[in-house]
Amino acid sequence: MIGKNFNIAQGVLIGYSDGRNKGVPHIGDNVIINANAVVVGGVKIGNNVLVAPNAFVNFDVPDDSIVIGNPGRIITRNSSPTAKYLVYTVE
């Protein structure tokens, strides 16, 4: 499942995984996944999330967050980190 206003860059992998987080990702609204990032497993990516280039995500990500690195690390924000990057949004 993918929410509205989803942006995806080249080389991104979104996929199924077995094991602890078996399943496929559920991606919220206003999410941007940058180049070569990997999002796998039955995880929930919240609303207004920015996944940095080359990040590896196999865990739940709360709303209004940035994920960087491999393994991924969450940086929480007080406001949407994706607002200035989304130009033509669907309401």
Side-chain angles (χ1 to χ4, degrees):
M1 289 186 37
I2 296 176
K4 62 185 177 182
N5 303 319
F6 175 67
N7 288 338
I8 186 171
Q10 71 276 10
V12 171
L13 171 69
I14 298 173
Y16 175 85
S17 177
D18 281 327
R20 184 177 53 138
N21 288 330
K22 183 177 181 176
V24 295
H26 291 251
I27 299 171
D29 297 337
N30 306 319
V31 173
I32 298 173
I33 301 181
N34 284 293
N36 302 314
V38 176
V39 180
V40 293
V43 298
K44 182 184 181 304
I45 307 298
N47 298 322
N48 307 312
V49 171
L50 177 70
V51 178
N54 300 309
F56 182 78
V57 182
N58 64 347
F59 49 85
D60 291 342
V61 179
D63 294 347
D64 300 318
S65 297
I66 300 172
V67 180
I68 62 169
N70 184 356
R73 185 172 50 121
I74 297 172
I75 300 172
T76 56
R77 309 303 265 177
N78 293 330
S79 61
S80 171
T82 62
K84 66 182 178 180
Y85 299 106
L86 296 171
V87 179
Y88 301 108
T89 60
V90 175
E91 296 303 320

